[in-house]
Amino acid sequence: MSSAESFSARGTRLLNRLYARLSSRQGGVTAFVSSPEPRTIGSFARGRQLVAGNLLFAGYLIEARQANIWAITAPDAAFEAEIHGFGWLDDLAAVGDLAARQQAQGWLWDWIASYGTGRGPGWTPDLTGRRVIRWINHAIFLLRGQDKEASEGFYRVLGRQTWFLGKRWQSAAPGLPRFEALTGLIYAGLSLEGQEALADPAIRALARECDSQIDDQGGLPTRNPEELLEVFTLLTWAAAALNEAGRTTPASHLAAIERIAPTLRTLRHSDGGLARFHGGGRGLEGRLDHALAASQVKERHADGLSMGYARLSAGRTSVIMDASVPPKGVASCNAHASTLAFELTSGRRPLIVNCGSGESFGPEWRRAGRATPSHSVLSLDGYSSARLGDVPRDRTREALVDAPVHVPIEMSEAADGLRFQGGHDGYVATHGLTHARTIEITFDGRGLAGEDMLLAMDDPAKRQFDRALDATSLSGIGFDIRFHLHPDVDATVDLGGAAISMALKSGEIWVFRHDGKVRLSLDPSVYLEKGRLKPRATKQIVLSGRSMEYATRIRWSLSKAQDTAIAVRDLARDELELND
């Protein structure tokens, strides 16, 4: 990174550290004016694990019963951020018994003793905002049974963090980090005695962020669905806190909530989880539906583009596709090369998925998860539709570069269902090939027909294709079309290798077939999921072939059998026809 950028980044860290230390000179608060209702949703199961001494953060499990969590050497920065953000407080509050409360109280007052004077890694605007929200949300839970000295210490350090937020929220990165910092400041300004003057500037600043960060489609520059949910949740919390305090929520703030809610409904699979694209996961269990209900926004988008994603839904089946160019610049630091990839969920059971974000499993898994082969889409041998490169002026992070520039799409009605058509030019520069994909879903949601094409569209593209073909000694440009399966799917090869049947835990049977022009295989894959110690083993359907001409077409289908007996009968009939 350039010396100017390096100085800027170091300067931000030094100023945060300076203001954190200065916070210890500020007067504390003594009481709540009002305490917002706790809205953060924790996991009862995870809370029980924490009480039992199983500390799982950022993919690392540390067994430390009755230990001081702050005395543990953090294995990496992500682990450190998770514990200093106090998200675990939601989980302990979800348990809510004496043991959980004592654990929460012990860890909180140990943090005050170790870091309450402005020291340590937790004094960044986003982590401080996240922490302040949890302290205020769970204040009654935390202060129960505490003596005057402990309570005074709690208020004193809460006041210091509020002062720090008032001085440093602007240094938080635009997007989720800044929304966290400002929401924490609003919570504190509305709730703490003597801090009311901080609320109005923060309310106005949050409204400005809504205008600048939430686009007309209700999306974020990062196109990360889970990040959008987190921002939406913060905005609904802040609006509810303003309403309870008798304040008016700015029009820009409310308009952002109204834009985001329909987009999240588009990104919601039929099982209630989010589509997993661009570094985002499914979201915490129940968080999405709870946030949508709290927003009181009932509007839905018609099937079409939302934050660059297309949705086809029919019957009990939902299909969500990445149908836009990837994020650009700094916003692409967690982005994936996933253009035209899709996920499919049947009822409450995911069937076709993307591998997901490998961030919690280390840098190698993170890079692998971002590559095109980790998505349910076509990829060329050894190539992704975009490659990883340095962020301009910041070589500490990798962005997507050489990504698709043009991603035309069209959505329409087919004879017996709905149709998506799209294409991208991510392989034109290297191979002269445009990838075009068509997916049709029947009106009853029981069938999906797909077509993938590789096309050299014009004379320059044909010349580039010829050069790429010559480099293979005219053996053809290899490609794979992958369909990653959820780990709960039981897949087997049928019909002598001509089809694959997939059994869901619900009892449904889906059958995958293709036009016979490529090789079909069932290969190992992985499912990368936050909160687990290691990737989950699963399988992927792979169609492999070689492109020899200016136009290559592959057709495939997914169909749901009526029930297990009918599926077995149909497979047996097809096998007989194949043998004949």
Side-chain angles (χ1 to χ4, degrees):
M1 99 178 85
S2 70
S3 58
E5 285 295 315
S6 176
F7 178 79
S8 175
R10 286 201 304 267
T12 297
R13 290 194 296 270
L14 288 171
L15 283 173
N16 284 342
R17 201 172 300 160
L18 172 63
Y19 277 97
R21 300 284 176 83
L22 288 174
S23 71
S24 63
R25 302 181 182 179
Q26 309 307 311
V29 298
T30 57
F32 284 108
V33 175
S34 65
S35 180
E37 286 293 318
R39 294 182 178 85
T40 47
I41 300 173
S43 165
F44 178 86
R46 188 173 179 191
R48 297 294 294 175
Q49 288 296 313
L50 291 174
V51 173
N54 299 316
L55 314 183
L56 178 59
F57 298 106
Y60 293 93
L61 176 64
I62 296 176
E63 297 181 2
R65 186 173 177 83
Q66 297 181 338
N68 178 357
I69 194 174
W70 314 113
I72 296 171
T73 301
D76 66 10
F79 183 99
E80 206 164 50
E82 279 204 28
I83 61 175
H84 281 272
F86 273 66
W88 47 263
L89 191 51
D90 297 335
D91 303 322
L92 291 175
V95 177
D97 62 13
L98 178 61
R101 187 172 76 249
Q102 289 177 340
Q103 181 94 304
Q105 290 170 334
W107 286 356
L108 182 138
W109 269 276
D110 284 341
W111 189 92
I112 289 175
S114 299
Y115 306 111
T117 56
R119 300 177 184 275
W123 287 84
T124 62
D126 53 331
L127 289 180
T128 303
R130 196 183 309 170
R131 190 167 55 244
V132 163
I133 291 170
R134 267 68 187 184
W135 284 29
I136 293 173
N137 267 349
H138 302 298
I140 295 174
F141 175 69
L142 291 166
L143 292 172
R144 186 175 301 162
Q146 297 299 302
D147 59 24
K148 181 180 179 182
E149 183 180 354
S151 296
E152 288 176 349
F154 174 86
Y155 284 117
R156 182 166 55 250
V157 176
L158 192 52
R160 291 172 182 173
Q161 294 174 88
T162 302
W163 181 87
F164 172 80
L165 281 175
K167 297 295 184 182
R168 296 301 296 159
W169 67 263
Q170 298 97 328
S171 68
L176 179 58
R178 192 169 292 177
F179 280 108
E180 285 188 307
L182 285 169
T183 303
L185 186 55
I186 290 170
Y187 257 53
L190 296 177
S191 304
L192 300 177
E193 193 174 82
Q195 304 299 309
E196 296 86 350
L198 294 174
D200 286 334
I203 293 166
R204 291 192 295 270
L206 187 63
R208 290 194 298 271
E209 291 300 308
C210 289
D211 286 335
S212 66
Q213 292 295 307
I214 310 301
D215 65 21
D216 292 341
Q217 288 187 7
L220 291 169
T222 61
R223 297 191 56 228
N224 180 327
E226 188 176 19
E227 188 173 308
L228 182 66
L229 171 59
E230 293 301 319
V231 168
F232 180 71
T233 301
L234 290 167
L235 292 178
T236 57
W237 287 350
L242 287 167
N243 183 61
E244 290 171 1
R247 300 287 197 100
T248 300
T249 304
S252 295
H253 185 154
L254 293 175
I257 291 174
E258 291 171 358
R259 291 198 302 276
I260 295 173
T263 297
L264 286 174
R265 286 195 169 91
T266 295
L267 298 172
R268 179 189 183 276
H269 274 301
S270 54
D271 66 342
L274 284 167
R276 303 184 334 135
F277 286 98
H278 292 297
R282 288 173 47 80
L284 292 175
E285 190 73 29
R287 171 71 67 84
L288 175 56
D289 288 342
H290 187 272
L292 288 171
S295 73
Q296 299 183 347
V297 178
K298 307 299 183 184
E299 183 183 347
R300 294 175 177 271
H301 285 316
D303 281 356
L305 277 189
S306 292
M307 201 167 74
Y309 296 96
R311 176 189 179 92
L312 297 174
S313 56
R316 301 173 66 247
T317 304
S318 62
V319 177
I320 299 174
M321 287 159 286
D322 185 351
S324 185
V325 296
K328 296 180 176 66
V330 174
S332 74
C333 289
N334 289 313
H336 290 205
S338 58
T339 306
L340 299 187
F342 78 97
E343 291 192 322
L344 182 152
T345 296
S346 178
R348 303 291 297 177
R349 300 294 175 180
L351 176 59
I352 306 296
V353 297
N354 297 310
C355 290
S357 172
E359 185 170 13
S360 62
F361 304 110
E364 291 185 4
W365 277 113
R366 182 175 184 270
R367 287 177 63 89
R370 299 177 71 186
T372 301
S374 294
H375 301 83
S376 294
V377 72
L378 179 146
S379 62
L380 299 186
D381 278 353
Y383 286 84
S384 284
S385 58
R387 67 179 179 87
L388 297 179
D390 292 337
V391 176
R393 300 184 302 278
D394 184 356
R395 293 178 183 166
T396 63
R397 295 181 289 176
E398 289 182 311
L400 287 186
V401 296
D402 298 336
V405 176
H406 301 292
V407 185
I409 73 145
E410 182 178 333
M411 300 186 71
S412 59
E413 282 200 11
D416 62 344
L418 304 171
R419 178 188 295 126
F420 166 87
Q421 293 174 293
H424 76 75
D425 59 356
Y427 300 118
V428 170
T430 55
H431 298 81
L433 292 172
T434 292
H435 174 212
R437 167 165 269 188
T438 299
I439 293 179
E440 295 182 5
I441 187 172
T442 57
F443 284 128
D444 61 7
R446 303 185 68 85
L448 203 72
E451 178 184 85
D452 285 287
M453 299 181 70
L454 288 169
L455 305 167
M457 302 288 287
D458 52 27
D459 288 341
K462 290 175 181 177
R463 290 193 292 271
Q464 181 61 36
F465 175 81
D466 290 338
R467 287 191 290 269
L469 189 62
D470 289 343
T472 70
S473 301
L474 302 182
S475 64
I477 297 170
F479 63 84
D480 297 297
I481 308 172
R482 303 173 189 274
F483 304 84
H484 295 275
L485 304 179
H486 189 273
D488 291 340
V489 176
D490 183 14
T492 55
V493 179
D494 298 306
L495 301 177
I500 290 177
S501 65
M502 295 155 284
L504 308 187
K505 285 193 171 182
S506 62
E508 290 181 358
I509 302 289
W510 285 75
V511 180
F512 180 91
R513 295 180 175 88
H514 67 101
D515 60 9
K517 297 179 181 178
V518 290
R519 182 176 66 87
L520 172 67
S521 61
L522 187 62
D523 297 342
S525 182
V526 293
Y527 187 78
L528 305 172
E529 190 174 17
K530 295 177 184 177
R532 288 188 174 266
L533 291 177
K534 58 183 180 181
R536 298 175 67 185
T538 186
K539 295 180 180 179
Q540 59 177 316
I541 299 170
V542 184
L543 297 176
S544 302
R546 307 195 75 80
S547 179
M548 302 288 295
E549 301 175 344
Y550 294 144
T552 302
R553 173 182 293 171
I554 309 94
R555 290 181 173 139
W556 49 268
S557 67
L558 280 161
S559 57
K560 179 161 48 172
Q562 295 293 328
D563 54 34
T564 303
I566 293 176
V568 171
R569 183 197 67 192
D570 289 347
L571 288 171
R573 182 191 61 202
D574 291 345
E575 197 158 20
L576 284 172
E577 292 175 356
L578 193 67
N579 291 334
D580 291 342

